[in-house]
Amino acid sequence: MAIIETEATLHEAHRDNHTHRDVNGGWLRPAVFGAMDGLVSNLALMTGVAGGAAGQHTIVLSGLAGLAAGAFSMAAGEYTSVASQRELVEAELDVERRELKKHPKDEEAELAALYEARGVEPDLAREVARQLSRDPEQALEIHAREELGIDPGDLPSPLVAAVSSFGSFALGALLPVLPFLLGASALWPAVLLALAGLFLCGAVVARVTARSWWYSGLRQLTLGGAAAGVTYLLGSLFGTAVG
């Protein structure tokens, strides 16, 4: 009796603890990476302009212009990319739908062969394929999953992708500009706030990776800081050459 209870307890503990990270990233990954993109690009732009000995007004104007241009560019690019991908998937689904209508037996045999290749006994594979093929829409979903690796009922939305990219990029790009909008007259508060934001974004990314939060945070801080430093140096060189 004690052994049975122990096994039941272990099974329950295993079930409670057996969780996985979201390997697809869901909404978190594009949102965080969009924010990091806005942070790094706008911080680099502003430090490059500052390196050229530009005045505060020019630096702020550059930051706001970078925010608007980058956000709209990200939104347009993301919309086009996701819409094109969705159209391609829908076209392939139409091909599969026509094949299921014209050659249902051949498609059923193809599905059975897929299950056999995965180790299912031939008779059982044929029976499973036969039962799954009764409903045309279910058959389409199964074939799409098995052959194309997609879920017809969970296709990405171009509008959602565009809006989320616009918002996350704009939020990230706003951080380096924010200290100036609040009255700062020097560059260093903008740099410190942007670097803190980069560390935070890197730490959040650790939720969808196997790295620790501090490693991801420091890595992103280092990369963003290096980008800002290089563009500041280039701005100084170009400013001297142009001046």
Side-chain angles (χ1 to χ4, degrees):
M1 183 67 178
I3 295 176
I4 295 176
E5 290 178 352
T6 300
E7 291 179 348
T9 302
L10 290 174
H11 176 72
E12 186 68 24
H14 175 75
R15 186 177 64 182
D16 291 341
N17 294 327
H18 191 68
T19 57
H20 295 283
R21 291 181 176 90
D22 179 8
V23 295
N24 291 321
W27 63 268
L28 178 63
R29 182 169 54 185
V32 172
F33 279 99
M36 283 197 295
D37 192 10
L39 263 168
V40 174
S41 61
N42 220 29
L43 175 62
L45 173 63
M46 293 174 65
T47 53
V49 172
Q56 178 183 343
H57 177 76
T58 303
I59 296 173
V60 175
L61 183 60
S62 299
L64 292 175
L67 185 158
F72 280 111
S73 176
M74 284 284 292
E78 195 70 18
Y79 184 92
T80 302
S81 175
V82 174
S84 300
Q85 180 186 10
R86 185 180 179 116
E87 289 165 1
L88 175 60
V89 169
E90 289 174 344
E92 291 300 314
L93 288 175
D94 286 339
V95 171
E96 193 64 36
R97 190 178 285 109
R98 288 195 298 269
E99 287 299 311
L100 285 167
K101 187 175 181 179
K102 292 180 179 178
H103 310 289
K105 291 299 181 183
D106 291 340
E107 292 296 310
E108 182 181 320
E110 183 179 349
L111 189 59
L114 285 172
Y115 289 135
E116 281 189 54
R118 294 185 178 183
V120 179
E121 294 181 359
D123 291 341
L124 180 57
R126 286 192 292 271
E127 179 61 20
V128 170
R130 184 187 68 81
Q131 293 188 28
L132 292 176
S133 300
R134 290 174 179 172
D135 181 359
E137 287 304 313
Q138 178 178 260
L140 175 64
E141 181 177 341
I142 297 297
H143 279 273
R145 289 178 182 273
E146 296 292 338
E147 297 177 30
L148 303 176
I150 59 174
D151 182 358
D154 190 28
L155 298 181
S157 167
L159 182 59
V160 171
V163 171
S164 62
S165 295
F166 182 94
S168 60
F169 185 96
L171 181 62
L174 179 63
L175 282 185
V177 187
L178 192 58
F180 288 103
L181 298 180
L182 295 177
S185 57
L187 181 64
W188 65 265
V191 173
L192 288 181
L193 182 59
L195 292 179
L198 285 169
F199 181 87
L200 179 61
C201 285
V204 174
V205 169
R207 290 190 58 184
V208 291
T209 68
R211 295 290 187 180
S212 60
W213 64 270
W214 59 266
Y215 176 88
S216 297
L218 286 176
R219 178 175 60 183
Q220 195 57 42
L221 186 151
T222 301
L223 293 174
V230 170
T231 53
Y232 184 87
L233 177 61
L234 291 175
S236 300
L237 295 174
F238 294 152
T240 302
V242 173

